[in-house]
Amino acid sequence: MSSIDRLLATARAGLDRAEPERALRLQRDGALIVDIRPHVNRAEEGEIPGSVVVERIHLEWRLAPDSEWRLPEVKPDSTVIVVCNEGYSSSLAAADLQRLGLPGATDLEGGFRAWRSAGLPVREGGTPAVP
């Protein structure tokens, strides 16, 4: 097993990953979906309605519960579902958020592409990221 495979397995061991239909239910119950995909992917493929775009390089600062730069809707007990293209970098990001004090952080199994393949709602992409 490669080092990245070990890192990914360790990250996922602490996550209650959400498959697309469950992620939609969680969102309807108040979970925040955070899209960390690059702008080019979001512009070409679309976005999940109601999601918030936070570039990966800003994620920890915008979501850590004790960060002075966090999004106001993020609380220590928030459920946050991180979305990337296929569900790899989102697993690593969600594990980072848990270590920063957000135990309800997880990711979308299969990423945005699994969401779209499941026939779930998609809006036009290209939304600017939270500054």
Side-chain angles (χ1 to χ4, degrees):
M1 180 181 279
S2 72
S3 59
I4 189 64
D5 288 334
R6 283 192 299 278
L7 182 65
L8 190 58
T10 299
R12 287 178 172 171
L15 301 176
D16 181 16
R17 301 183 78 211
E19 46 78 30
E21 290 80 7
R22 179 168 168 251
L24 179 60
R25 287 192 306 275
L26 289 169
Q27 182 188 38
R28 288 178 176 161
D29 289 340
L32 178 66
I33 295 183
V34 178
D35 192 335
I36 63 170
R37 294 177 300 139
H39 181 268
V40 66
N41 294 109
R42 292 183 286 102
E44 289 176 4
E45 299 178 51
E47 300 171 1
I48 296 172
S51 64
V52 175
V53 177
V54 178
E55 292 193 8
R56 178 64 185 97
I57 62 170
H58 298 136
L59 186 70
E60 288 81 359
W61 287 267
R62 295 291 183 239
L63 276 82
D66 61 350
S67 171
E68 65 182 281
W69 300 286
R70 79 172 160 73
L71 299 173
E73 61 266 36
V74 177
K75 310 289 186 251
D77 63 345
S78 293
T79 299
V80 174
I81 304 167
V82 183
V83 177
C84 68
N85 288 329
E86 295 180 337
Y88 294 97
S89 61
S90 58
S91 294
L92 300 174
D96 285 347
L97 293 176
Q98 285 186 352
R99 284 191 293 276
L100 288 172
L102 198 59
T106 191
D107 75 325
L108 177 60
E109 192 171 336
F112 177 81
R113 292 175 183 159
W115 176 281
R116 188 184 60 212
S117 291
L120 297 178
V122 173
R123 70 176 183 222
E124 185 175 326
T127 302
V130 172

